[in-house]
Amino acid sequence: MITAQAADKSLDIQGKDFLTLADFSKNTILGLVQKARKMKNASLLGKDSKSLNGKILGMIFEKPSTRTRVSFEAGMIQLGGSALYLNSNDLQIGRGETVADTAKVLSQYVDAIMIRTFSHGMVEELALHADIPVINGLTDLYHPCQALADLLTIYEVKGRLEGLKLVYAGDGNNVAHSLMIAAAKVGMNLTIAAPPGYEPQEKVLALAKQFGKETGAEIEVVNSAIEAAAGADILYTDVWTSMGQEQENAERLEIFKSYQVNAQLAAAAKQDYTFLHCLPAHRGEEVAADIIDGSHSAVFQQAGNRLHAQKALLSELL
């Protein structure tokens, strides 16, 4: 259970980077979730804190975005700050200027950097050389901001995190990786169901299992979606073809077809299961339309929670 006190005391992450949830303790993660709940309630009452008055967030995008860009930009504005959209095509980074030099220059202008890109190594290099917090808005390895919003959503819907069974069916990608770390950190059981050859990376699985030993969470990877879904509290999926994999689309549609979240898969879950998807969704591919648009779906609540989770994160880092 998340205590109310968790949101009222400092989480001691001011000035730190946010690259993966693996870097943070269970208490810090739960504290961010609770702070996000309080900030969401305040926002709904029109009582947003202006704690980031005068602060500027620089947002670097190598990948296009809807939720990441709008939620971070809106969040900064609501907290009294501002955000700068920096398309990688408009920057010198990667076109002659090193990542290190870009980090040092941007550190003179803005108070934090959020970057959404392909290479996780690039984000690590940016953080290494920046004098300000760097936030991973998405890489090919991790998507920690999404996982933080997912925890908030699950807590709102289920009233707890610890001991729940979360089942993710589909590609063992960055979303799956961050879910593994997040679940293990907070004591939530997670089963990833992925086709052979498309499982999450072994190093991430080993890390999640290590964290799971500390919280009692069981983290496993299987190949059968229908077996994984048995008794699930939450069913979760993502697109089968991510940005940069478009040439594999036809092949992936065939390989992943038995991993669709549909009525048959949902029948194996608990009667009060919740469906989640990080969006954008391809109805008729990874999820049937009647599932994502049905009464068990919380995907738009989940999308909205990106804003509140990131506001909590920004307010703590800055």
Side-chain angles (χ1 to χ4, degrees):
M1 185 173 181
I2 305 176
T3 62
Q5 289 79 10
D8 294 325
K9 64 181 182 180
S10 171
L11 300 179
D12 296 322
I13 62 172
Q14 182 177 355
K16 293 186 178 180
D17 300 312
F18 188 77
L19 307 188
T20 166
L21 288 173
D23 297 334
F24 298 92
S25 68
K26 174 181 179 179
N27 286 341
T28 295
I29 294 169
L30 293 179
L32 285 169
V33 172
Q34 182 64 4
K35 179 156 190 170
R37 291 182 69 224
K38 290 190 69 174
M39 296 183 80
K40 180 176 182 178
N41 290 336
S43 185
L44 292 173
L45 295 172
K47 296 180 179 180
D48 279 306
S49 162
K50 300 303 179 184
S51 58
L52 298 187
N53 184 40
K55 300 290 186 180
I56 302 172
L57 175 69
M59 306 187 301
I60 301 174
F61 287 90
E62 282 197 329
K63 284 187 172 185
S65 166
T66 298
R67 280 149 293 276
T68 298
R69 177 182 177 179
V70 178
S71 58
F72 268 109
E73 192 162 345
M76 285 297 294
I77 293 169
Q78 289 178 14
L79 294 176
S82 57
L84 298 175
Y85 175 75
L86 306 171
N87 189 297
S88 61
N89 293 327
D90 299 328
L91 299 176
Q92 298 298 328
I93 189 171
R95 294 192 300 163
E97 182 166 76
T98 66
V99 173
D101 285 356
T102 298
K104 293 172 183 176
V105 169
L106 290 180
S107 295
Q108 313 301 312
Y109 302 147
V110 299
D111 299 285
I113 299 168
M114 187 283 296
I115 179 169
R116 179 179 169 92
T117 187
F118 294 90
S119 168
H120 192 74
M122 177 183 177
V123 177
E124 291 178 325
E125 186 178 0
L126 193 70
L128 178 65
H129 295 283
D131 297 326
I132 54 177
V134 172
I135 300 169
N136 175 9
L138 175 143
T139 66
D140 286 349
L141 185 61
Y142 288 120
H143 197 353
C145 293
Q146 179 64 55
L148 196 60
D150 296 340
L151 293 179
L152 172 59
T153 307
I154 293 168
Y155 187 82
E156 287 180 334
V157 174
K158 299 297 185 184
R160 64 188 176 102
L161 296 171
E162 202 166 70
L164 293 173
K165 181 179 180 180
L166 169 62
V167 173
Y168 173 97
D171 191 17
N173 58 15
N174 49 6
V175 171
H177 287 161
S178 283
L179 280 176
M180 290 163 64
I181 299 296
K185 284 279 188 176
V186 303
M188 183 164 50
N189 303 312
L190 171 63
T191 300
I192 302 283
Y198 293 87
E199 300 94 341
Q201 292 186 18
E202 283 293 334
K203 66 177 183 179
V204 181
L205 177 60
L207 190 60
K209 283 180 173 289
Q210 176 186 327
F211 294 139
K213 289 180 180 178
E214 300 170 5
T215 63
E218 294 185 7
I219 310 296
E220 62 176 346
V221 176
V222 300
N223 296 126
S224 171
I226 196 70
E227 290 178 14
D233 295 288
I234 305 106
L235 295 176
Y236 195 124
T237 192
D238 189 12
V239 294
W240 292 339
T241 305
S242 298
M243 281 178 279
Q245 301 171 336
E246 289 81 4
Q247 73 280 2
E248 305 172 24
N249 187 56
E251 180 183 7
R252 283 174 170 266
L253 289 179
E254 181 64 26
I255 291 171
F256 283 93
K257 64 183 180 182
S258 64
Y259 293 82
Q260 183 187 77
V261 180
N262 51 29
Q264 181 184 7
L265 196 71
K270 290 184 178 178
Q271 287 190 344
D272 65 343
Y273 82 92
T274 298
F275 174 72
L276 298 179
H277 191 307
C278 56
L279 302 181
H282 297 160
R283 288 166 173 78
E285 292 184 14
E286 75 274 4
V287 59
D290 60 337
I291 296 293
I292 191 171
D293 297 322
S295 60
H296 291 271
S297 177
V299 299
F300 297 110
Q301 178 180 347
Q302 178 188 9
N305 280 338
R306 287 291 302 277
L307 171 66
H308 307 295
Q310 284 155 195
K311 283 167 69 175
L313 177 64
L314 289 165
S315 68
E316 286 293 329
L317 294 182
L318 295 178

